[in-house]
Amino acid sequence: MKYSAIALLLSAALSQQAQAADNSTLSGVLQDNEGNPVSNVEIFISSTNQSVTTDENGRFEFTDLETGRYILDIKGGKQGHFNKAIQHTGESLTVTIDYDDVQTLVVTGNPLEHTVLEMAAPAVIISGDELTQKRGSNIGETLAEVPGVNLSSFGAGAGRPVIRGQQGNRVTVLSNNSSTQDASNASPDHWIAAEPLLAKRVEILKGPATLLYGGGAVGGAVNVVDNRIPTQLPDGIEGGVEVRLGDSATGERSTVGTFSTANGGLAFNIDAFKSETDELKIPGFAESYYLRELEEAEGEAGHDEEASGVLENSDTDSRGGSVGFSYISDAGYWGMSYSDYERNYGLPGHAEHHDEGETEEVHAEEAIRLDLRQQRWDMKGRWNDPFDGFRSLNLQFASTDYKHQEIEGTEIGTTFLNDAQETRLELVHDSWSGWQGAFGLQYSDSDFVTIGDEAYIPASNTEKLGLFWLEEYEIGHWHTELGARYDKQTITTDLFGQRDDNAFSVAFGNLWHLDEHWTLPINITRAQRLAAVEELYSNAGNTEETYVPHLATASIEVGNPNLGKETANNIDIGIRYNSDGVSASVSVFHNRIDDYIYLAHQEHEPAPGEVHEHEEFPVFVYSQADAVFEGAEAEINWTFASDGLAVWKTGLFGDYTNAELKSGPYLPRTPAKRLGGSIGLDYDMFTSNLSATKVFDQDHLAEDELPTDGYTLINLDLGYNVFFDDSELFLFLRGQNLADEEIRDHSSFLKDRAPRAGRSLTAGFRWTF
């Protein structure tokens, strides 16, 4: 039976290759979804190194081209960059671009410029009206409804994405393909310096993205794309204004504006934002039922055990902006920008106990707040056809000065400083005997310092050098991807001197296009990750009597200088379907991680008469053991009825992740399984979508971890578009948690002290011109 199946696969591949033997002219018309011709647009076929430009009627023609399947790389200028798969039979084609279809948008995080449909590894793009409606107060909250992505929150102030159960040092968040260079990996309460209000799109790469971005992306990557450095010449004056207002549940007051213009070949961009939220209104107690029961059983009084209705100290205040310019020509573009972000937010669940008779001023002095600022310079360029045999040379450089202070009452407790630079170089070559690919280099240098009461991570310098190589080959209905990456890391500290480590990662992917609708992807990766500073040297040189607690996680974390590298062996298999009315995908993954780095609880019984200053905090030591992450994701979106101006849509999704050590215990903060559905009606300029997501109880618990009850999240999105001659107005209303459920994210360190907001409404508009 096995050999028969293999024979059938080989027979299908050979027959498809044989069908692609005839040469003829590929011609057609490029149009938008309203039937208007798209003129003066470059169309490129990378597998044959051929390029043409559409005429005023949208017509194009490639000569002497073998019949078969091709990907048209359509560079649509300010409308976007698209890929469309076509079947060349010798007959004239009509190729239609839907500017709102994210399935045909090129993923900028991949130098080989593919859509999510043409990549072996699963990926998602959020943009346009969907991104406008789903923007949250942080990047984790913005992506929390994506299948396979969960939220690890510290109130509204800080939240990071969890991809397939992994977060922190295993999920990289990028700003325009470059590291955010903040202090978010040092602690989950630290803000990720990627502002959702300024994003024009967000790309999520699920599973190992190590080949492109190093060991920090062994669990996945999130790329936040904005326009701080223009890559297309604006047509006159372009820009937009967005205003968002929330009800009393969040108290959101946000405004963002962007402005772009050009003078000859010079393009300029300026943007700015201001956002505030109040303390969140919650439907019940701040502390979970399980934590209150535990504290009662142990005879302890939690400082939040009677707090209800409001999540104290959860308000935020953010502002920032950027200014940038670039020179753009047919040869490419070169530009630079300066950005400046400030953010002040509270850490809920961390205020000290206060008596009923104390004043509000005394209580305010006991709250813990974070006040941060990031100043960043970016340079970015692309050189088209730099020399024979190469398609483009892409160069990026970023220099960041990051500082944040943790303020306890009115005093500065701890200061975090990160002075970092990163350079990235990508050289994309033409098709060489059918192989298309890229060579790359990534170098970063970071000086990280903590000063003050919570300085449990020693000052360090970290240098990273990565060399990577990607190749792909297209034959008939088969698409094959290969790649490798070498990483070298040098960490220098005063106490331990210099430490050098290296890692090597490889990947193989394949797509089999069964027909124009069905695709079978498989992705196999062996990826290595090197231990970070906090994993190696937290509380370095301290004894049990002098350990410094990590107040954000209410624990003492102890590094281990003997840690080795992690090795993740991941396989991802799926099936995808895409047509005009239906898009669907199913993905199953199994990720065996050898020498997985995790925090192991250290039991300690003090000797008689022995008293430690911080004995109320549990002690966790960074350790290594083999672990397994496995799960599945499924999603279908279906336009099931259309009658004149009315279009009905529905969708279903589900995801599940299980994470445990091979020795048996579950790993902490593993997201619970979810099942959701939606139904929507679009009528002329009006859009609506009602969604419900059932999140199940999580009782697969690590040692000393409390259960998390499930909930049902019901959201409603309404929108209305108004089109003018040279501008567009989008009005929106978003209702979240309409059932006013108590929502706790099991993947959050604060899930037993800080639930999400209760029922809330957000209204706003986005005017683009």
Side-chain angles (χ1 to χ4, degrees):
M1 181 69 181
K2 180 194 300 184
Y3 298 106
S4 299
I6 295 174
L8 285 173
L9 288 174
L10 290 174
S11 176
L14 291 172
S15 64
Q16 289 165 358
Q17 185 175 358
Q19 291 170 7
D22 298 329
N23 288 13
S24 65
T25 297
L26 169 60
S27 62
V29 174
L30 183 66
Q31 63 179 26
D32 61 23
N33 55 350
E34 295 181 352
N36 301 313
V38 180
S39 61
N40 198 32
V41 166
E42 180 187 359
I43 302 178
F44 180 65
I45 299 179
S46 58
S47 60
T48 61
N49 296 329
Q50 296 187 55
S51 175
V52 299
T53 301
T54 59
D55 64 17
E56 60 182 8
N57 297 314
R59 294 197 59 81
F60 62 90
E61 182 177 293
F62 292 91
T63 59
D64 196 27
L65 196 66
E66 291 183 351
T67 56
R69 185 180 186 274
Y70 291 94
I71 301 297
L72 300 184
D73 186 7
I74 304 167
K75 297 175 172 60
K78 65 179 182 179
Q79 298 292 352
H81 188 178
F82 305 89
N83 279 181
K84 289 286 287 187
I86 58 97
Q87 188 69 33
H88 171 35
T89 63
E91 299 181 357
S92 182
L93 301 174
T94 298
V95 181
T96 302
I97 299 178
D98 184 350
Y99 298 130
D100 297 324
D101 183 7
V102 295
Q103 303 260 38
T104 60
L105 276 175
V106 167
V107 177
T108 63
N110 186 327
L112 300 184
E113 300 180 337
H114 289 307
T115 68
V116 297
L117 297 174
E118 300 296 328
M119 294 172 59
V124 177
I125 294 178
I126 300 178
S127 66
D129 293 348
E130 181 185 15
L131 178 58
T132 299
Q133 292 178 308
K134 291 185 177 179
R135 291 191 213 273
S137 58
N138 53 68
I139 191 61
E141 191 175 301
T142 302
L143 305 179
E145 296 177 37
V146 175
V149 182
N150 296 85
L151 169 64
S152 175
S153 66
F154 254 72
R160 62 183 311 124
V162 180
I163 300 179
R164 294 179 166 181
Q166 302 200 53
Q167 58 178 301
N169 283 314
R170 297 177 180 87
V171 173
T172 290
V173 179
L174 307 163
S175 175
N176 298 303
N177 302 343
S178 179
S179 169
T180 54
Q181 300 181 351
D182 48 34
S184 60
N185 283 342
S187 178
D189 62 317
H190 297 174
W191 180 60
I192 297 175
E195 179 52 56
L197 283 173
L198 295 177
K200 65 179 182 181
R201 65 194 290 188
V202 180
E203 303 167 348
I204 306 108
L205 307 178
K206 302 179 189 177
T210 314
L211 296 189
L212 291 171
Y213 300 110
V218 72
V222 173
N223 187 27
V224 181
V225 181
D226 57 36
N227 196 45
R228 69 179 68 175
I229 296 179
T231 59
Q232 299 289 338
L233 285 172
D235 185 10
I237 297 176
E238 298 177 356
V241 175
E242 184 176 325
V243 175
R244 309 172 65 90
L245 297 173
D247 65 1
S248 60
T250 63
E252 180 182 2
R253 304 171 300 281
S254 300
T255 304
V256 58
T258 62
F259 175 86
S260 299
T261 189
N263 183 9
L266 285 174
F268 303 89
N269 180 79
I270 184 170
D271 54 47
F273 73 94
K274 177 73 170 71
S275 179
E276 295 177 276
T277 63
D278 296 333
E279 292 182 332
L280 301 180
K281 301 293 191 300
I282 56 178
F285 290 97
E287 289 191 350
S288 70
Y289 164 80
Y290 298 102
L291 181 58
R292 299 197 310 272
E293 287 289 303
L294 179 64
E295 291 175 338
E296 182 178 346
E298 295 179 349
E300 299 178 359
H303 61 264
D304 283 339
E305 68 173 1
E306 297 181 357
S308 64
V310 175
L311 186 61
E312 297 179 350
N313 197 37
S314 60
D315 56 306
T316 68
D317 186 356
S318 306
R319 69 197 69 195
S322 70
V323 57
F325 73 92
S326 59
Y327 176 75
I328 303 171
S329 69
D330 292 339
Y333 65 86
W334 299 95
M336 66 183 302
S337 70
Y338 170 76
S339 59
D340 194 335
Y341 295 159
E342 296 180 15
R343 189 172 180 92
N344 182 287
Y345 60 96
L347 292 185
H350 286 76
E352 299 295 330
H353 176 70
H354 60 284
D355 297 328
E356 291 184 5
E358 291 181 338
T359 65
E360 289 294 325
E361 287 76 16
V362 172
H363 170 52
E365 290 182 351
E366 296 167 343
I368 300 176
R369 300 193 66 82
L370 271 70
D371 189 35
L372 66 85
R373 184 180 185 186
Q374 184 193 66
Q375 297 168 286
R376 172 171 171 139
W377 289 91
D378 283 273
M379 288 184 284
K380 183 178 180 181
R382 177 186 175 104
W383 183 12
N384 295 325
D385 303 318
F387 29 84
D388 288 344
F390 289 89
R391 188 190 313 168
S392 65
L393 174 66
N394 305 311
L395 177 65
Q396 286 184 265
F397 173 78
S399 178
T400 302
D401 183 9
Y402 175 91
K403 175 182 179 180
H404 92 236
Q405 296 175 323
E406 298 187 356
I407 303 171
E408 302 172 14
T410 59
E411 297 182 356
I412 298 174
T414 310
T415 299
F416 290 76
L417 303 171
N418 190 22
D419 183 8
Q421 295 80 40
E422 180 177 273
T423 301
R424 184 177 182 87
L425 178 70
E426 296 171 349
L427 186 58
V428 182
H429 69 72
D430 290 334
S431 178
W432 295 348
S433 300
W435 288 94
Q436 307 157 63
F439 306 94
L441 176 149
Q442 184 177 4
Y443 173 80
S444 64
D445 184 293
S446 172
D447 290 311
F448 183 77
V449 179
T450 58
I451 306 168
D453 297 340
E454 200 181 322
Y456 67 96
I457 303 175
S460 64
N461 172 264
T462 301
E463 284 188 86
K464 296 180 181 180
L465 173 65
L467 302 173
F468 60 90
W469 161 74
L470 307 172
E471 292 293 335
E472 62 182 30
Y473 190 81
E474 194 102 21
I475 179 170
H477 286 210
W478 294 83
H479 172 87
T480 300
E481 301 174 0
L482 299 172
R485 180 179 176 113
Y486 169 78
D487 284 288
K488 180 179 180 181
Q489 175 178 277
T490 300
I491 297 177
T492 305
T493 60
D494 291 338
L495 184 61
F496 291 92
Q498 180 174 304
R499 173 185 172 126
D500 294 313
D501 293 290
N502 57 76
F504 185 72
S505 302
V506 294
F508 165 81
N510 190 271
L511 285 170
W512 182 18
H513 298 281
L514 302 176
D515 57 29
E516 62 178 323
H517 301 302
W518 290 95
T519 304
L520 282 175
I522 181 172
N523 196 54
I524 301 173
T525 305
R526 180 186 183 274
Q528 293 188 323
R529 184 183 78 87
L530 301 173
V533 172
E534 57 271 17
E535 296 169 325
L536 293 167
Y537 303 130
S538 288
N539 272 299
N542 294 338
T543 64
E544 292 185 1
E545 291 80 9
T546 59
Y547 279 155
V548 177
H550 187 185
L551 298 180
T553 59
S555 65
I556 292 173
E557 299 166 9
V558 181
N560 182 355
N562 297 318
L563 293 176
K565 67 190 71 171
E566 285 183 352
T567 301
N569 303 280
N570 182 81
I571 182 169
D572 193 305
I573 301 175
I575 186 167
R576 302 170 189 165
Y577 179 87
N578 189 64
S579 67
D580 291 338
V582 180
S583 65
S585 65
V586 177
S587 182
V588 179
F589 65 92
H590 179 90
N591 192 359
R592 189 190 79 241
I593 305 178
D594 299 332
D595 299 319
Y596 178 80
I597 300 173
Y598 70 105
L599 283 167
H601 186 213
Q602 182 183 72
E603 299 289 348
H604 174 71
E605 291 291 336
E610 181 182 7
V611 178
H612 296 166
E613 181 181 356
H614 303 296
E615 62 182 6
E616 72 273 18
F617 293 103
V619 177
F620 292 89
V621 179
Y622 281 101
S623 306
Q624 288 189 285
D626 295 343
V628 174
F629 288 73
E630 57 189 3
E633 302 150 11
E635 182 179 20
I636 181 170
N637 294 291
W638 176 31
T639 301
F640 66 91
S642 179
D643 181 15
L645 297 177
V647 177
W648 288 91
K649 303 177 180 179
T650 189
L652 292 172
F653 89 93
D655 58 18
Y656 167 74
T657 300
N658 185 70
E660 57 186 76
L661 297 177
K662 291 188 71 175
S663 58
Y666 291 108
L667 287 168
R669 292 174 294 282
T670 301
K673 59 178 176 287
R674 300 184 295 183
L675 182 64
S678 65
I679 186 167
L681 168 65
D682 295 351
Y683 186 86
D684 197 13
M685 299 296 103
F686 172 78
T687 62
S688 63
N689 188 73
L690 177 66
S691 65
T693 302
K694 171 61 180 175
V695 180
F696 293 83
D697 298 343
Q698 181 56 288
D699 52 11
H700 288 184
L701 307 175
E703 182 183 3
D704 297 326
E705 192 174 35
L706 296 177
T708 303
D709 289 337
Y711 56 87
T712 300
L713 174 64
I714 300 176
N715 292 340
L716 174 66
D717 290 297
L718 303 176
Y720 190 82
N721 283 286
V722 182
F723 295 96
F724 304 100
D725 289 341
D726 298 312
S727 63
E728 175 186 346
L729 179 66
F730 177 59
L731 307 171
F732 61 90
L733 176 67
R734 179 166 172 80
Q736 293 180 276
N737 191 14
L738 296 181
D740 204 28
E741 292 255 19
E742 182 176 301
I743 296 179
R744 299 182 186 273
D745 298 296
H746 190 79
S747 52
S748 170
F749 282 85
L750 276 191
K751 59 104 173 176
D752 287 304
R753 298 186 182 275
R756 288 202 220 173
R759 182 188 300 113
S760 67
L761 293 174
T762 301
F765 69 85
R766 186 190 69 207
W767 175 46
T768 55
F769 52 88

